[in-house]
Amino acid sequence: MPGQAHHENIIAGLDIGTSKIGVTAGKIVGGKLEVIGISISSSTGIRKGMVINIDSVLRSLEEAVKEAESSIGVEINKVYVSITG
């Protein structure tokens, strides 16, 4: 699937948690969302739902998004974010 979707058609969700960061990317096909990539990486810089080191959080976010982009072959420009707590 890499390279088949144009970046403007990509919808990405970002879930930031204390222990992990998840990215799910999809595209709309026939009025339905088709998941085309998922990545999960460790979360650092967050403890009990509180940001304790913003630089570590940003590195974790960048890693998760780059992994998702690599799996789908398209740059992710916009995301919907979910933050627990």
Side-chain angles (χ1 to χ4, degrees), residues 9-25:
N9 297 332
I10 300 299
I11 297 172
L14 177 67
D15 182 43
I16 304 170
T18 300
S19 61
K20 65 180 165 74
I21 295 175
V23 179
T24 303

Side-chain angles (χ1 to χ4, degrees), residues 16-36:
I16 304 170
T18 300
S19 61
K20 65 180 165 74
I21 295 175
V23 179
T24 303
K27 63 181 179 174
I28 302 295
V29 177
K32 295 182 180 180
L33 181 64
E34 178 182 309
V35 174
I36 59 172

Side-chain angles (χ1 to χ4, degrees), residues 52-74:
I52 58 169
N53 185 322
I54 190 69
D55 292 328
S56 292
V57 174
L58 290 174
R59 280 191 297 276
S60 295
L61 289 170
E62 288 172 351
E63 179 184 326
V65 171
K66 283 182 182 182
E67 186 178 318
E69 289 175 334
S70 177
S71 75
I72 64 174
V74 177

